[in-house]
Amino acid sequence: MQSRKERNYESGSGNKRKRGRWENRTSSIKKKRRGMGHSSTVRSDRCVTCTTFNILAPIYKRISEESCRESQYRAYWLTRNKSIIDRLLGDRSSIICLQEVWLGNDELVNMYEKQLGDAGYVSFKLARTNNRGDGLLTAVHRDYFRILNHRELLFNDFGDRVAQLLDVESVVPFWHGQNSSIRQQLLIVNTHLLFPHDSTLCIVRLQQVYKILQYIETYQKEHNLEPMPVILCGDWNGSKRGHVYKFLRSQGFISSYDTVHQYTDSDADAHKWISHRNHRGNICGVDFIWLLNPNKQRKPLRTSWNEAVFGIIKYLLRAASLTETSAFAFLKVDSPGDYITYSGFCQALYQLGLSGHPDGLSSEDTKVLWVQADTDGNGVVDYVEFLRIWNPKCSEQPEEKTVSGTKGSPITGGETQQQQQAFGFDVKDAVLFPPEVERGMWPENYSLSDHAPLTVVFSPVKMPCGGPVC
């Protein structure tokens, strides 16, 4: 006979009512996804949906105020994960990216793989290194995409984090009856970044994202891929105010949820929505589905990396209550003149916790940063050069190259060969569950996870190519 506590747990108190309200909101998503019956030349109404969800591994979920974990109670984790699968199958997204899947438990893994497989999904799983117990699972529906390639990224760093890359192609062409050579192919990445337990881990998290973007660039070059959209999904363990967010924005990625709801990158819009209540009780928005279209002008990856690291240096110095002048004095260390030396720069990075440990900046990283700081190449950084780092004038968000009248429109027979066209996406809708999190509140009776699932609707479009590989 079940205890009252166990019966309440299995009933998912409050979730059924919330699901009803949420389904009213998402009915439009399902209609958009099903809208494939029009016999028009351009089938841009064949929308693609993508869901990202950190499902909270039972080995991490605490039971009430007790010290025990959910993994000790099979009835608990089995019921909760069945509810999660029911939701995923009900939503029937084209792409599903899950984090914190308890890959150390065969029963749970088999349940996900079987039920997703029976529903038409091809799934791939990847455990974190060093037998952490959890990992990633990415599932793609056969009705929408065929898998061309699958890669595993092992960071082998402090957090034992990993990432998955899937190269997929649309099963049914989005456009018919056109003499067009546009290949409807995209890259999907699923990841779960390190939690920022302290400020010294900022550089580790930034390195994880850099490795992902670097791998994407390398993969595209090695396989001679045409320009295509890239979708990054996952638990980024950082908010819109963080360095990872700014780094991705500087590379041309857009946050799908913020785009739909017309939220800006300003601090005023940083906390309009949340997706996670962490183990400290803090609420924040950390789950993102990022989109990079091939019509984006992007900085060189290393340039964005350098700017992001300088941003971390500035953040740490400001956190120590150093003004612009005192920060320059700190970086000078014991310099005999009014300038920063290379040795002093290295010493400052060490004191800030950014170097001197296995997961910190390497000596090569430090040299590259120094070359960018020492703009005149005379071997020292004076106050004017320091100010260029402290107050960068360049915009963090590159401008998008667009051609009037081409967004979301079919290619006509009169197009010139010089204007290279590419396949991309418009973001049509984005929904978080439960609905309270979209207003910045975390409901106490939500029990599926300590994260909110995010579902985004993408509409395929043709666009002029403006990326660096065009």
Side-chain angles (χ1 to χ4, degrees), residues 177-192:
Q178 305 263 349
N179 294 322
S180 173
S181 61
I182 297 178
R183 190 172 186 181
Q184 290 147 38
Q185 187 176 347
L186 68 144
L187 298 179
I188 305 164
V189 174
N190 182 16
T191 194
H192 181 189

Side-chain angles (χ1 to χ4, degrees), residues 1 62 75 166 435:
M1 183 174 180
R62 296 174 175 85
L166 272 67

Side-chain angles (χ1 to χ4, degrees), residues 29-178:
I29 289 181
K30 294 181 180 180
K31 289 177 181 177
K32 289 175 184 176
R33 186 179 59 232
R34 291 196 300 264
M36 300 180 239
H38 297 176
S39 57
S40 58
T41 303
V42 182
R43 298 187 68 178
S44 58
D45 56 348
R46 182 180 165 86
C47 290
V48 171
T49 52
C50 180
T51 295
T52 185
F53 192 12
N54 180 325
I55 62 175
L56 181 55
I59 53 177
Y60 303 134
K61 181 175 174 59
R62 296 174 175 85
I63 301 298
S64 299
E65 301 300 325
E66 305 170 21
S67 59
C68 55
R69 302 299 173 100
E70 185 190 52
S71 55
Q72 299 171 249
Y73 301 93
R74 179 179 178 274
Y76 285 21
W77 61 256
L78 187 62
T79 299
R80 182 170 68 88
N81 279 274
K82 283 182 177 179
S83 297
I84 290 172
I85 293 174
D86 287 345
R87 170 168 292 283
L88 294 173
L89 296 182
D91 295 342
R92 201 174 179 269
S93 290
S94 317
I95 303 162
I96 298 173
C97 294
L98 304 179
Q99 305 85 43
E100 281 198 25
V101 181
W102 190 16
L103 296 181
N105 184 284
D106 290 339
E107 182 181 5
L108 183 141
V109 173
N110 292 337
M111 180 174 67
Y112 273 88
E113 289 185 327
K114 183 180 188 309
Q115 294 200 38
L116 288 173
D118 291 346
Y121 288 92
V122 180
S123 61
F124 300 85
K125 59 182 184 290
L126 177 61
R128 289 170 63 188
T129 50
N130 289 326
N131 297 316
R132 288 295 189 113
D134 70 302
L136 308 172
L137 188 148
T138 303
V140 177
H141 205 283
R142 296 185 185 91
D143 289 351
Y144 288 84
F145 297 106
R146 66 174 61 92
I147 308 298
L148 302 178
N149 220 331
H150 168 240
R151 290 288 184 268
E152 297 178 348
L153 288 71
L154 308 180
F155 298 143
N156 294 312
D157 58 14
F158 173 78
D160 294 310
R161 301 293 176 169
V162 296
Q164 295 173 291
L165 183 146
L166 272 67
D167 183 357
V168 304
E169 184 177 36
S170 176
V171 171
V172 179
F174 296 123
W175 296 281
H176 291 285
Q178 305 263 349

Side-chain angles (χ1 to χ4, degrees), residues 5 89 175 199 206 225 234 268 295 339 358 383 392 434 468-469:
K5 179 179 179 181
L89 296 182
W175 296 281
S199 59
L206 195 64
L225 298 182
N295 68 337
Y339 50 77
Y383 192 67
V469 293

Side-chain angles (χ1 to χ4, degrees), residues 354-417:
L354 298 178
S355 64
H357 53 90
D359 297 304
L361 294 170
S362 66
S363 58
E364 183 62 30
D365 291 332
T366 304
K367 290 176 184 176
V368 172
L369 290 169
W370 178 257
V371 169
Q372 181 160 329
D374 181 18
T375 54
D376 59 12
N378 67 348
V380 296
V381 172
D382 59 28
Y383 192 67
V384 174
E385 290 172 314
F386 163 76
L387 288 180
R388 293 194 186 104
I389 299 170
W390 191 262
N391 298 308
K393 295 181 180 179
C394 57
S395 171
E396 292 192 4
Q397 179 183 354
E399 293 184 1
E400 178 177 336
K401 179 188 287 187
T402 59
V403 178
S404 177
T406 60
K407 185 177 181 181
S409 59
I411 296 177
T412 64
E415 283 181 323
T416 62
Q417 294 294 322

Side-chain angles (χ1 to χ4, degrees), residues 147-367:
I147 308 298
L148 302 178
N149 220 331
H150 168 240
R151 290 288 184 268
E152 297 178 348
L153 288 71
L154 308 180
F155 298 143
N156 294 312
D157 58 14
F158 173 78
D160 294 310
R161 301 293 176 169
V162 296
Q164 295 173 291
L165 183 146
L166 272 67
D167 183 357
V168 304
E169 184 177 36
S170 176
V171 171
V172 179
F174 296 123
W175 296 281
H176 291 285
Q178 305 263 349
N179 294 322
S180 173
S181 61
I182 297 178
R183 190 172 186 181
Q184 290 147 38
Q185 187 176 347
L186 68 144
L187 298 179
I188 305 164
V189 174
N190 182 16
T191 194
H192 181 189
L193 297 191
L194 176 69
F195 182 84
H197 293 281
D198 59 66
S199 59
T200 62
L201 297 179
C202 290
I203 196 68
V204 180
R205 291 162 36 71
L206 195 64
Q207 285 174 328
Q208 291 172 346
V209 182
Y210 179 79
K211 289 177 182 178
I212 291 173
L213 300 189
Q214 189 178 46
Y215 189 89
I216 291 173
E217 282 193 356
T218 302
Y219 179 84
Q220 290 177 306
K221 289 177 182 177
E222 288 180 349
H223 293 80
N224 297 316
L225 298 182
E226 298 176 357
M228 65 184 64
V230 178
I231 297 175
L232 306 182
C233 301
D235 174 5
W236 300 85
N237 259 325
S239 72
K240 291 177 62 176
R241 300 180 67 180
H243 305 289
V244 165
Y245 181 93
K246 295 174 182 177
F247 178 49
L248 286 168
R249 292 291 286 127
S250 74
Q251 278 292 292
F253 285 88
I254 61 170
S255 164
S256 300
Y257 187 86
D258 290 292
T259 298
V260 165
H261 297 273
Q262 299 181 348
Y263 294 147
T264 67
D265 293 339
S266 67
D267 286 348
D269 286 346
H271 302 293
K272 290 288 183 67
W273 58 274
I274 60 173
S275 65
H276 175 44
R277 181 168 66 177
N278 66 27
H279 60 281
R280 297 172 178 171
N282 301 322
I283 56 175
C284 46
V286 301
D287 299 274
F288 291 87
I289 295 178
W290 294 94
L291 170 66
L292 176 66
N293 270 321
N295 68 337
K296 284 287 187 178
Q297 289 281 26
R298 292 150 57 196
K299 299 177 183 177
L301 181 57
R302 192 73 201 196
T303 300
S304 287
W305 159 261
N306 291 341
E307 291 172 356
V309 175
F310 282 129
I312 291 177
I313 295 172
K314 181 176 179 179
Y315 167 80
L316 293 174
L317 293 174
R318 280 187 165 177
S321 301
L322 297 183
T323 63
E324 182 180 286
T325 305
S326 56
F328 181 68
F330 171 81
L331 293 170
K332 284 198 310 178
V333 193
D334 55 355
S335 170
D338 195 28
Y339 50 77
I340 304 168
T341 64
Y342 179 69
S343 61
F345 180 66
C346 294
Q347 184 178 340
L349 293 180
Y350 178 80
Q351 291 178 338
L352 291 171
L354 298 178
S355 64
H357 53 90
D359 297 304
L361 294 170
S362 66
S363 58
E364 183 62 30
D365 291 332
T366 304
K367 290 176 184 176

